[in-house]
Amino acid sequence: MKNVIGITALTVLTTLFYWYVGQMVPQKETHPPVDTEMRQDMTTEELVIAGEEISAGKGTCLLCHTIGSEGTRAPDLAGVGRRAATRREGLTDVEYLAESLFDPGAYIVEGYNPIMTPTHKPPISLNQPEILAVIAYLQSLGGTPSVTTDTELAYQAGEPGAPEVAAQAGSGEELGAEEVFTKYICFSCHSLTDPISLVGPSLYDVGDRLSRAEIYESILDPDAALTEGFPGLVMHATLTGVGFYENATPVQIKSLVDFLAAKKVSP
């Protein structure tokens, strides 16, 4: 009897401990990419609002960055608008923030790994107006936004030696969700029709188990939250090897998220 009571008490205490730890871990919410309307006559204040939306959605910034709490995978963005002007000698705040978005490997904050990809390239593919909006939003986090739609950045399409800015999202070949699933051989690791595990977990009921935000995160950052019993690094390496992260467009990724979110067995 004493053993039963002891085991029960241990189980309850363990559950409470992990519940407490779970509450202490910063939570993040990301959403599938949506197109933010960008106009040439937008004010700086409007750019800030648009930049916040892009950062939380299409730009995928909040997959790794926190705002107002200690970042574990990437630096906290709170106060970045103030820090940006002094982060790199010889660079203004706008120049530093632009460099961080176009060439994130140029400067790595101490204590963090170079995991960020250029935001103007697939799969994020921000265009020039969207990048200006993100810079305006980042300036607003502790600083004073100054970017306008006419602000010129060192990284411009066609400038010698500078990265080429991505075209508008949705250009080029657009495939349906099932075509994307087939093109990038997702079927070799995941079943869509049966509750059987292959290299990865079955996706036949993924819409019941994961929110759209979690599905989106599992595609762009598959090691962020691993399914129990499955190894890390495999999915990211596979998608990298088949060119998904280099070639898939935001429209295709959103289509794939919609498709998987609809995979439910519950009424």
Side-chain angles (χ1 to χ4, degrees), residues 28-236:
K28 62 185 183 221
E29 182 177 1
T30 55
H31 302 276
V34 296
D35 291 329
T36 299
E37 181 184 0
M38 303 299 298
R39 308 186 319 274
Q40 183 58 37
D41 63 347
M42 293 177 76
T43 65
T44 297
E45 290 73 21
E46 290 175 321
L47 284 175
V48 170
I49 295 172
E52 181 176 12
E53 181 178 308
I54 294 167
S55 296
K58 180 180 176 182
T60 71
C61 306
L62 300 188
L63 284 180
C64 298
H65 291 280
T66 56
I67 300 178
S69 59
E70 184 178 355
T72 55
R73 302 168 61 207
D76 178 23
L77 294 179
V80 68
R82 179 181 62 258
R83 297 191 301 270
T86 58
R87 182 70 86 181
R88 293 259 281 164
E89 185 176 356
L91 296 184
T92 66
D93 59 339
V94 174
E95 291 168 339
Y96 169 73
L97 292 172
E99 179 186 72
S100 299
L101 295 172
F102 281 100
D103 188 13
Y107 177 83
I108 306 298
V109 176
E110 184 177 356
Y112 294 95
N113 295 317
I115 62 173
M116 181 172 168
T117 58
T119 59
H120 67 292
K121 293 182 177 181
I124 300 175
S125 301
L126 297 187
N127 56 50
Q128 195 82 7
E130 290 169 335
I131 288 174
L132 285 172
V134 171
I135 291 175
Y137 171 60
L138 294 176
Q139 283 186 300
S140 76
L141 299 176
T144 302
S146 61
V147 168
T148 71
T149 54
D150 294 323
T151 297
E152 294 186 3
L153 304 176
Y155 298 94
Q156 295 283 348
E159 182 174 319
E164 181 181 355
V165 177
Q168 291 283 347
S171 63
E173 179 189 20
E174 289 303 347
L175 306 174
E178 293 187 68
E179 293 175 302
V180 173
F181 195 87
T182 300
K183 178 177 179 177
Y184 295 106
I185 60 171
C186 306
F187 59 83
S188 66
C189 296
H190 301 281
S191 171
L192 283 175
T193 57
D194 301 297
I196 58 173
S197 297
L198 302 176
V199 178
S202 173
L203 299 178
Y204 89 111
D205 64 342
V206 66
D208 288 325
R209 295 183 286 106
L210 301 178
S211 67
R212 288 167 55 84
E214 290 169 330
I215 294 172
Y216 180 49
E217 179 182 59
S218 70
I219 293 172
L220 285 190
D221 191 5
D223 293 316
L226 296 173
T227 300
E228 185 177 357
F230 294 92
L233 304 179
V234 174
M235 181 171 168
H236 188 276

